Each structure stands twice: as structure tokens, then as C-alpha cells.
Amino acid sequence: MKLKLVAAGVLLAFGLGAQAAPLIIKYSHVVADVTPKGQAALKFKELAEKKLPGKVEIQVFPNSQLFGDGKEMEALLLGDVQILAPSLAKFGKYTKQIQIFDLPFLFDDIHAVDRFQASKEGQGLLNSMEKKGIKGFGFLHNGMKQLSANKPLGYPTDAKGLKFRIQASDVLEAQFKAVGGNPQKLAFAEVYQALQTGVVDGTENPWSNIYSKKFHEVQKYIMDSNHGVVDYMVIGNAKWWAGLPPDIQKGLSEAMLESIKFGNKVAFEEDQAFRQKVIDENKAKVLPMSKEQTAAWRAATQPVWKKFEAEIGKDLIDAALKANK
Ligand code: LMR
């Protein structure tokens, strides 16, 4: 009898000891932790591990530590990473419609972007890559882009002949060509050095990226241009996601939606704070754009809309314009 009890005790202890190892989930991105995306990824880790204690371990890799631009999508489809949040400018290979977010001067501000994404048309874009194995969890904001260079870019003619670093986007290539610029598609991790060494003369990015990656240290002028947006889609490998146990999927979904909401709150609330930090460091000069200058840039880049209208769809562009109040 005693032996049976001891045996039962050992088995119980062994059973408890052999609890399954947590599911490792890798979340990779290219920006700094302080940015809206960096904050959202860390919040996802915090919430997912709280909701699924001992069942999941979220490993967050910021600053292109694990995969950089150009590698991350392939890695996701191969299952080497489970979650990414690439810029919407980097999905051109998977769906042409999402190029809408790169059209210059389409959205008045980040709130217009938010309204469009919440619309039927916007939500439809979230699932537009499922057939390619990419599951869209939600849209995550960063902010409106600012032009920068080592000379003021008040008018489009000021950009003539300059080399600009751009994300891997045909629309952005057309945007800079429309003003006589020379666009260069480069990975985000290479931007600082390319600006510092003069491989490129200028670029465009939102304030949180400018500040956290110190672009203002290697650019003399930043225009308050708000001429486009950097926004993201948080994505997962669709097959991996479909294969998850229901309780894990439920916990991760909740954590994902809450973390995206948190990241968007950071984007709305801290964009101007990042701008002020750049101004306070007084390394680059932040120059306002007059109504006339903005109108000149808008007119010069407007033909880009026509060029991509067929690929994107006129209905979608009209729906986006409606989101501007
Ligand atoms: C860029 O490449 O400039 C941005 O997409 C980086 C990012 O993820 O914000």
C-alpha cells in the first residue's frame, strides 16, 4: 500500500515537472523600442505572457536584430519568425492595393488614415494577402512623414537632382522622380550611414523614426511637410496561426488587439513630442511649409495618383479621400 502511495507521489511529481515548454513566438521589427511599433511589440509580449502564463514566450527583436527589410517577409513565410509589423510601403510584392498608403498628400493627417483603415474598404485590405499565406492582425500607426535633406526643400524644384532614400516602394520612387529627385531603395537599417556618408542626400520619415534613429544628426534641414504616412500592418504566418490551439489563439488575439490599440495611442500622443525633441536638440533646423509651398509639392506629385490608379483602384482612392474631413 505504502509503495503504491510513493509510486503515485513520484508519478504526480514527474507529471507536474514535465509541463510542456512554452510556445516560442518571435516578433521581429526594424525600429527602436521607443517608437509606437516598438512599444506595441513590448506590450504584446507583456499581455500575451500574462494571458497565457507558461504557455507562450514572446521574443521581441527590434532594430532589425533578427531580420531586416527585404528578409523579414521571406522569413515569415518560411516560419522562421511568427509576427512582423512591416510598413505598408513594403507589401507591394504581395498586394498592389496597399500602395494606396504611399500616395503623396492623400491623407490630411494620421486621423484620416485611422478613419480610412476602420472603413469597410480599409478593413478589406487586412485580409488581402491571406491567399499568399499572410494573416493581417491590424493596422498600427507611426505618423506623417517629413522631408529632410542638407538644404531646405521649400519647393519641389529644390529636390531636383538630389538622391533620396526611400522604402522599397514603386509609388515612393515615382513621387521623388516627379520632382526630379533620384530615389534609392535602401533598408531602414542602412539609412543613418547612407545619410552620414552622402550615399544619399535626403529622405522622408515620421518624427519617431527621425528622433530614435538620430537622422536629425545627419540632416541639416527637416521640412514640416506631412506629405505622406508611415503606417504598418501587424501580420502573422497564416498557416502557423491556423494551427494554433484555440485557447492560445484566443489569448494571442486579445493581446494583439490590445497592443495595437496601445501602439496607436502612443502614435497619436507622442508624435509631436518626438518632433519637439528633434527641435530641442537643435542639430537639424525644422522649417515650416507655407500653404503655397505645400500646394506646389502637392501639384508636382499629384500625377503619381494617376500613374497607380489602375493598380490601386479608383474606388479605394475615393474611399480614402472621403476619410479626410
Ligand atoms: C522605413 O523603412 O523607413 C520605415 O518603414 C521603417 C519603419 O518600420 O518604420
Side-chain angles (χ1 to χ4, degrees):
M1 179 57 183
K2 197 161 167 241
L3 201 60
K4 271 197 189 146
L5 278 175
V6 172
V10 169
L11 276 175
L12 185 66
F14 187 77
L16 282 177
Q19 189 177 348
L23 178 69
I24 304 291
I25 297 173
K26 295 181 179 163
Y27 190 151
S28 169
H29 65 81
V30 301
V31 293
D33 282 335
V34 290
T35 62
K37 174 158 64 177
Q39 294 282 307
L42 294 171
K43 181 57 79 177
F44 175 70
K45 174 178 172 66
E46 177 200 322
L47 294 171
E49 291 176 356
K50 201 188 274 173
K51 288 175 192 290
L52 298 161
K55 290 188 177 172
V56 300
E57 180 192 325
I58 313 296
Q59 299 176 344
V60 177
F61 300 91
N63 301 310
S64 305
Q65 280 170 8
L66 185 62
F67 296 107
D69 288 333
K71 292 268 180 322
E72 56 181 9
M73 292 298 286
E74 202 186 307
L76 183 92
L77 294 173
L78 288 171
D80 295 336
V81 63
Q82 285 68 48
I83 300 176
L84 302 174
S87 160
L88 296 168
K90 299 170 184 171
F91 285 100
K93 251 176 33 182
Y94 303 93
T95 163
K96 293 298 177 197
Q97 288 185 303
I98 283 188
Q99 295 180 111
I100 190 167
F101 292 100
D102 283 342
L103 293 179
F105 298 98
L106 178 67
F107 298 102
D108 290 348
D109 57 31
I110 197 73
H111 298 285
V113 175
D114 192 66
R115 284 190 294 272
F116 170 63
Q117 289 170 344
S119 73
K120 178 169 59 55
E121 293 85 357
Q123 288 298 302
L125 294 172
L126 270 183
N127 313 314
S128 60
M129 297 175 281
E130 290 256 356
K131 287 204 188 81
K132 305 228 163 117
I134 298 165
K135 172 172 178 55
F137 292 116
F139 290 111
L140 178 59
H141 303 318
N142 187 330
M144 302 307 283
K145 290 183 293 186
Q146 318 304 334
L147 288 165
S148 64
N150 290 321
K151 58 182 270 196
L153 298 174
Y155 289 92
T157 43
D158 298 321
K160 202 168 171 43
L162 295 186
K163 289 174 286 190
F164 287 93
R165 179 269 170 177
I166 57 167
Q167 302 170 83
S169 156
D170 297 343
V171 176
L172 299 178
E173 189 170 53
Q175 170 191 284
F176 281 104
K177 283 189 175 164
V179 295
N182 181 352
Q184 319 258 328
K185 294 177 181 175
L186 284 176
F188 187 63
E190 296 165 36
V191 176
Y192 183 90
Q193 202 178 355
L195 291 169
Q196 188 183 40
T197 57
V199 168
V200 292
D201 306 302
T203 188
E204 55 172 9
N205 243 290
W207 292 113
S208 71
N209 284 352
I210 293 171
Y211 180 74
S212 60
K213 291 293 175 181
K214 302 183 185 310
F215 295 159
H216 57 298
E217 292 183 357
V218 282
Q219 295 274 258
K220 291 201 177 86
Y221 299 93
I222 303 172
M223 310 307 294
D224 247 329
S225 54
N226 298 304
H227 64 283
V229 68
V230 167
D231 228 62
Y232 312 114
M233 190 191 289
V234 188
I235 58 172
N237 176 307
K239 214 160 145 214
W240 163 75
W241 181 256
L244 290 172
D247 62 325
I248 303 268
Q249 221 186 59
K250 182 172 176 295
L252 293 179
S253 284
E254 290 167 4
M256 183 53 78
L257 292 182
E258 282 174 50
S259 65
I260 289 175
K261 221 165 146 193
F262 176 80
N264 287 341
K265 192 164 175 290
V266 173
F268 288 141
E269 293 176 359
E270 296 186 21
D271 179 63
Q272 291 304 298
F274 282 112
R275 176 180 177 276
Q276 196 55 48
K277 285 182 181 156
V278 169
I279 292 172
D280 293 346
E281 287 202 7
N282 202 19
K283 291 185 178 135
K285 216 165 177 26
V286 175
L287 299 176
M289 296 267 281
S290 68
K291 277 207 174 78
E292 193 202 2
Q293 289 173 319
T294 302
W297 271 95
R298 189 187 281 271
T301 55
Q302 192 65 30
V304 175
W305 294 22
K306 206 75 205 153
K307 184 175 163 66
F308 289 90
E309 189 179 275
E311 282 186 13
I312 295 171
K314 187 163 182 333
D315 298 356
L316 210 56
I317 295 174
D318 291 343
L321 286 170
K322 251 192 253 141
N324 291 323
K325 286 264 166 78

